[in-house]
Amino acid sequence: MSLLSEQPSFTLGVEEEYLLVDAETLELSVDPPDGFMPACQEQVTGQVVNELMRAQVETATKVCGSVAEVRRELTRQRREINAVAEQFGMRIIAASTHPSALWRDQKQTPSQRYVTLQEEMQATARRMLICGMHVHVGIEDKDLRVDLMNQFRYFLPHLLALSVSSPFWEGDDTGLNSFRLTIFSGLPRTGFPEEFSSWSDYQRHIDTLVRARVIEDASMIWWDVRPSARFPTLETRIFDLCTFAEDTVCLTAFCVCLIRMLWRLRISNSRWRSYNLLLLEENRWRSMRYGATDRLLDFGKGSMAPFGELVDELIAMVRQDAEYFDCMAEIEHARAILERGTSASLQLAAYRKAREAGASEQEALREVVRFLVDATVKGL
């Protein structure tokens, strides 16, 4: 049996970035107390670090051997970090944007990496008041990692649509379900990766940028999916931050199941069809714009398909893999997301309900934050 036909470990790890809000005003905590991060690092299980803005905090699970373990890690981390935030008069919210916060009011974390990033990227970096989540799937063989990345790109818009949580920006209803990606796309080396023929092909391009001193290393490649710069994993980064932890678990399950499905195709001498970036990016845009409420382009049929039908197809496609990983219920939770609504849909509903009840624009936006505070930890 060749190395590429040996099953990867398919270990899992998830990173989530939260926003800190004042418990009373529900505004962003622009300058959290100095004791907050040390308390987090002492009391929260797993890794906790600063993000670009001081009002952000990032957590990372340990390496997990199952989807069930990911759930335990995520729910514990959310509860623990929120408990620490409460000690300092704050709460956490799991959403990719705060409905009303202004990026110009924020304070940046004074680490050398972030200072350098801001000097290089200027206003595009200063606007980065956005949060996301990253899912790592362990794939030890480098060539296999690149090959699966090429094929996995097709499914990224479908996964994004289930995660959308950023309909508001600086007090405006943007009309998009994932406004976060319009901000993130201002940085270079974002969006879909190109297709690479092998690990050496990928590495050759990275080395060109490093030698030219354009980037320090591969960690400054911020594609929607990439070979991790630190771990032997394929890292999916397109997601908005899910407000409900159960949605994060669902999308983690989809990542590992879809990737295993593609690996199964490979060892049977088959593969997922490669599509041009023009088509892939059209579906990416539609997911940003409509989330799970409209249709995506079915490339094989050459027509638009209701998103619910596509979810049913995805569930059927990975059933064998979901059974292998014992995560069928987590995969089928995608239907519950459609029935309940994504975070973006629920935020918009909370805003409109408050407005219809006579609330001012600012009061209605606070109702959105109140919903996010409750759902982030209690809505499990």
Side-chain angles (χ1 to χ4, degrees):
M1 181 180 289
S2 72
L3 180 63
L4 291 183
S5 63
E6 293 177 3
Q7 178 161 294
S9 66
F10 295 122
T11 53
L12 295 166
V14 178
E15 302 165 71
E16 291 192 313
E17 301 162 356
Y18 309 121
L19 291 166
L20 297 165
V21 298
D22 184 276
E24 293 186 6
T25 68
L26 301 180
E27 298 296 326
L28 272 189
S29 297
V30 175
D31 194 11
D34 291 339
F36 172 69
M37 280 306 298
C40 283
Q41 289 159 355
E42 180 180 340
Q43 299 177 42
V44 178
T45 305
Q47 183 184 21
V48 184
V49 296
N50 288 113
E51 250 298 327
L52 177 63
M53 305 295 183
R54 293 204 62 196
Q56 296 171 296
V57 61
E58 178 182 322
T59 64
T61 69
K62 66 180 182 180
V63 177
C64 298
S66 68
V67 174
E69 190 175 5
V70 169
R71 174 188 287 103
R72 291 193 296 270
E73 285 285 294
L74 283 173
T75 53
R76 178 172 59 243
Q77 284 186 333
R78 287 192 181 203
R79 290 187 180 111
E80 289 177 349
I81 199 165
N82 192 64
V84 176
E86 286 182 340
Q87 297 172 20
F88 291 87
M90 299 182 294
R91 299 289 189 276
I92 63 167
I93 61 171
S96 281
T97 56
H98 184 283
S100 61
L102 305 178
W103 65 262
R104 292 175 183 82
D105 294 341
Q106 305 310 305
K107 293 186 177 182
Q108 280 78 40
T109 300
S111 76
Q112 187 54 53
R113 179 180 176 85
Y114 292 145
V115 169
T116 301
L117 179 68
Q118 291 168 49
E119 288 176 351
E120 173 67 19
M121 305 299 177
Q122 292 295 310
T124 57
R126 294 194 294 272
R127 293 189 311 155
M128 295 282 288
L129 187 58
I130 54 175
C131 295
M133 77 171 193
H134 309 153
V135 175
H136 292 259
V137 175
I139 303 168
E140 288 70 23
D141 185 87
K142 294 178 179 178
D143 282 316
L144 180 61
R145 209 178 304 157
V146 168
D147 183 47
L148 294 179
M149 177 180 74
N150 291 337
Q151 299 177 69
F152 187 56
R153 298 179 306 168
Y154 175 89
F155 301 100
L156 294 177
H158 305 69
L159 301 181
L160 169 64
L162 292 167
S163 76
V164 288
S165 67
S166 51
F168 295 101
W169 179 252
E170 297 198 330
D172 289 333
D173 174 353
T174 65
L176 275 67
N177 279 247
S178 176
F179 192 73
R180 160 187 157 265
L181 281 181
T182 70
I183 300 296
F184 197 68
S185 296
L187 297 180
R189 304 178 294 280
T190 57
F192 283 115
E194 294 184 44
E195 189 165 337
F196 296 94
S197 61
S198 63
W199 175 265
S200 60
D201 182 29
Y202 161 76
Q203 193 61 54
R204 184 164 54 250
H205 286 79
I206 301 300
D207 290 344
T208 297
L209 295 176
V210 172
R211 282 196 305 271
R213 298 184 179 180
V214 173
I215 62 173
E216 222 176 276
D217 54 41
S219 69
M220 299 186 74
I221 303 293
W222 299 301
W223 295 326
D224 294 339
V225 61
R226 70 180 183 183
S228 170
R230 294 186 294 160
F231 309 112
T233 63
L234 189 59
E235 179 186 4
T236 305
R237 302 166 49 86
I238 195 171
F239 304 110
D240 270 12
L241 178 58
C242 292
T243 298
F244 298 92
E246 199 62 37
D247 296 2
T248 303
V249 175
C250 170
L251 291 169
T252 300
F254 260 115
C255 281
V256 71
C257 288
L258 285 166
I259 289 170
R260 185 176 185 269
M261 180 273 294
L262 295 172
W263 170 77
R264 285 193 295 106
L265 286 179
R266 180 185 175 110
I267 63 173
S268 64
N269 294 316
S270 185
R271 62 183 290 111
W272 197 258
R273 181 177 172 183
S274 178
Y275 291 96
N276 189 278
L277 284 177
L278 173 68
L279 298 180
L280 295 173
E281 288 173 350
E282 184 62 31
N283 270 350
R284 184 180 189 267
W285 159 250
R286 292 191 65 83
S287 290
M288 290 168 58
R289 170 66 177 88
Y290 299 107
T293 65
D294 202 83
R295 300 171 297 166
L296 292 183
L297 182 59
D298 185 318
F299 301 155
K301 297 177 181 176
S303 60
M304 303 302 293
F307 189 72
E309 291 182 10
L310 296 175
V311 166
D312 287 341
E313 289 178 8
L314 288 180
I315 292 172
M317 189 184 301
V318 301
R319 180 171 295 276
Q320 175 181 333
D321 308 283
E323 290 173 351
Y324 175 84
F325 290 121
D326 193 22
C327 63
M328 198 65 223
E330 288 81 358
I331 289 292
E332 290 181 334
H333 178 72
R335 294 192 179 107
I337 296 175
L338 296 184
E339 183 177 349
R340 181 204 67 209
T342 62
S343 173
S345 296
L346 294 173
Q347 289 179 55
L348 290 165
Y351 175 80
R352 290 164 185 162
K353 180 180 178 181
R355 289 290 280 162
E356 289 168 2
S360 69
E361 201 168 283
Q362 198 60 39
E363 289 168 341
L365 291 169
R366 274 197 293 273
E367 284 303 309
V368 175
V369 182
R370 191 167 285 111
F371 153 73
L372 291 171
V373 167
D374 290 339
T376 294
V377 177
K378 298 176 184 176
L380 306 175

